[in-house]
Amino acid sequence: MKRFIVLLCLLLAAPSARADEALRLRQRTSINQIGARLLASHLRHNGMANAMVSGPSLFYGLSVLALGADGASRNLLRSQLLSDQGVEASVADIAGPLAKQLSTEVTAGETGGSFRLSQGVWSTNGASGSQPFLLKREFVLAAQTHYGASHRLIDFEAAGAAQTINSWAEQRTNGLIPSIIDDPTLAKLRWVILNTALFEGGWGTAMQRVAPGGAYRFVTLDGRPQAARSIRSARYSAQVVDLEDGSVAFQLPFAGEKYAFLVHVPAAEQKHIDRWLLEAAIPALPETTQRVFSGNGARQPLMVQLPSFSFSDGVSMVTGSPIAADLGLAPLFDSSANLDRLSAQPSQLGLVRHHSRIELNENGVRAAATTLIGGIRRTSIGPVSPTRQIVVNRPFVFAIVARASQTLLFNGVLMAPPPDAAR
């Protein structure tokens, strides 16, 4: 009997211990801050439109790059990727175990949410006449050991070479992102690090599709009401956070409850939603996530209505990019960048390209992102209350969150449902 009780206690404690470890690992990184900063910078420099990024996709692409960096470049990447600067631990020592905590593979027939990260590394073999670019064996082995990254040598200048990389990304995003690079761009690069992030999950509470034409209208950033297809939840229980500025943040669970969809909507009287997004909601997203998933507040019955939508997005960084400067990555594009642990041949960053797509409807959410990092030769170029109803009908911030670690897997904004959402 004693053995049974001890075994039962161990089984009950195991999920809690894993959750504590996931949270501890995430807190030692800047993974949530990177996603929020990238989203805000993207909107600031590219315009206020529907947008989504994946902090983990960029974080893990840069984490592989950190294996090849040395000197000041290595220190820069460490400072941008880790929040805990006082501990002598490499990025890989923390990021590698965190990736295992974030990922979940779901077998056929299961309905729980799943999240998968994949890494690949390519370098050119120079078959078309240019000099091949050889990666150091130590770098390739480290990328494989810590992040499961595969390595392939291909001819970057051959016709159709980009399709090899695109097909790899398309397969690992289940077709959501079919293309990340083209032949002319690839021909200018010498090596490529590619990360893909894929989330698929059904709702953990019943959702009903609502056709446009009823009382629901989505009010766009410029104040225009717009007919839109929406989804409405059944009654469920969740923690709701009423923030100091009058805005409201809450979560919708995915099946299995490892992941959740976070929504942060502005106060009804908020007149300057663009400023609210850029100056308040997005910068505070890591803190808001912590408050929503802390479990410190009382749960309350909810019924939620929000638009169904789908869109694709993309952002790029090159030499002189203001987004690279905002993220503190500009020195990596300079000829003084030290990537000596990646290759014996001199190299610097030439391109960071981030693509994403999200599809949200009454069945659930599919979201994917790819981050391509390309290198060039140096010198080249409260209490329980009655059921609360929340109608999300103004531009809002959203995120897909791994609950245990409170990691923002994807985060974005919806300014207006795309036209196809009204059909």
Side-chain angles (χ1 to χ4, degrees):
M1 184 65 178
K2 289 183 178 179
R3 289 183 179 179
F4 173 77
I5 293 174
V6 170
L7 179 60
L8 181 62
C9 291
L10 290 174
L11 290 173
L12 291 173
S16 177
R18 286 194 295 270
D20 290 345
E21 174 65 5
L23 180 60
R24 185 186 67 82
L25 287 167
R26 196 273 301 161
Q27 289 173 337
R28 297 179 68 185
T29 75
S30 300
I31 194 168
N32 282 354
Q33 289 75 12
I34 283 175
R37 288 162 53 201
L38 177 59
L39 178 60
S41 184
H42 177 27
L43 292 171
R44 189 178 300 114
H45 296 293
N46 295 328
M48 300 296 288
N50 294 341
M52 186 183 76
V53 301
S54 170
S57 182
L58 179 58
F59 177 89
Y60 280 98
L62 293 173
S63 295
V64 175
L65 180 64
L67 295 172
D70 210 350
S73 297
R74 184 182 185 184
N75 292 336
L76 182 149
L77 282 166
R78 191 179 190 282
S79 69
Q80 296 300 325
L81 297 173
L82 300 184
S83 61
D84 190 352
Q85 300 299 315
V87 177
E88 287 298 324
S90 70
V91 172
D93 290 336
I94 299 172
L98 178 59
K100 295 178 181 178
Q101 295 279 358
L102 297 177
S103 300
T104 299
E105 295 291 343
V106 176
T107 57
E110 293 184 323
T111 58
S114 68
F115 179 69
R116 183 178 67 203
L117 288 163
S118 302
Q119 304 273 13
V121 178
W122 288 262
S123 54
T124 186
N125 60 22
S128 291
S130 64
Q131 185 180 359
F133 195 90
L134 303 178
L135 300 177
K136 286 187 174 180
R137 177 175 173 79
E138 295 81 3
F139 169 78
V140 172
L141 287 176
Q144 171 65 43
T145 300
H146 293 291
Y147 302 113
S150 59
H151 173 238
R152 290 186 62 185
L153 275 164
I154 64 173
D155 183 3
F156 280 19
E157 298 176 56
Q163 186 55 39
T164 300
I165 296 175
N166 288 333
S167 295
W168 186 92
E170 182 178 22
Q171 180 182 11
R172 282 156 181 80
T173 60
N174 281 359
L176 286 176
I177 302 182
S179 179
I180 182 69
I181 196 166
D182 54 67
D183 280 346
T185 303
L186 183 62
K188 299 175 183 177
L189 303 177
R190 302 294 88 190
W191 54 265
V192 160
I193 294 169
L194 183 60
N195 170 278
T196 64
L198 173 67
F199 175 84
E200 296 178 301
W203 297 117
T205 185
M207 301 292 285
Q208 176 186 2
R209 178 176 177 174
V210 182
Y216 181 85
R217 293 289 187 276
F218 189 92
V219 182
T220 60
L221 196 63
D222 58 5
R224 291 182 297 107
Q226 173 181 313
R229 189 173 67 230
S230 63
I231 56 176
R232 185 167 52 223
S233 75
R235 186 173 182 267
Y236 71 103
S237 178
Q239 182 177 339
V240 179
V241 177
D242 293 286
L243 289 100
E244 292 76 8
D245 63 357
S247 62
V248 177
F250 63 94
Q251 60 167 300
L252 271 164
F254 289 108
E257 296 199 349
K258 180 172 181 178
Y259 307 98
F261 191 76
L262 175 121
V263 178
H264 186 188
V265 296
E269 62 273 15
Q270 179 60 250
K271 303 299 183 184
H272 305 287
I273 295 181
D274 52 349
R275 287 171 51 187
W276 175 78
L277 290 168
L278 288 175
E279 299 173 11
I282 296 173
L285 189 53
E287 179 185 349
T288 303
T289 301
Q290 180 181 347
R291 294 179 64 173
V292 171
F293 292 94
S294 65
N296 295 331
R299 298 167 71 91
Q300 47 183 296
L302 288 180
M303 290 183 68
V304 172
Q305 186 172 5
L306 72 159
S308 59
F309 60 90
S310 64
F311 65 84
S312 299
D313 192 26
V315 56
S316 294
M317 291 174 260
V318 295
T319 302
S321 166
I323 297 178
D326 286 350
L327 297 181
L329 302 177
L332 297 175
F333 290 89
D334 192 78
S335 60
S336 62
N338 186 341
L339 301 179
D340 289 350
R341 297 201 303 164
L342 184 143
S343 174
Q345 297 165 270
S347 177
Q348 67 192 68
L349 208 58
L351 173 68
V352 175
R353 182 172 287 176
H354 186 82
H355 283 187
S356 62
R357 179 165 179 81
I358 183 169
E359 298 175 354
L360 181 150
N361 57 32
E362 67 276 12
N363 299 315
V365 174
R366 301 174 71 217
T370 58
T371 298
L372 182 143
I373 299 175
I376 57 177
R377 293 191 192 279
R378 191 170 296 157
T379 71
S380 303
I381 46 178
V384 176
S385 59
T387 299
R388 181 170 176 176
Q389 297 196 33
I390 300 178
V391 177
V392 182
N393 62 356
R394 304 178 80 193
F396 62 93
V397 177
F398 64 84
I400 298 171
V401 181
R403 296 164 58 94
S405 62
Q406 299 174 11
T407 301
L408 296 163
L409 304 178
F410 297 84
N411 56 285
V413 294
L414 185 78
M415 301 298 183
D420 65 343
R423 293 200 295 266

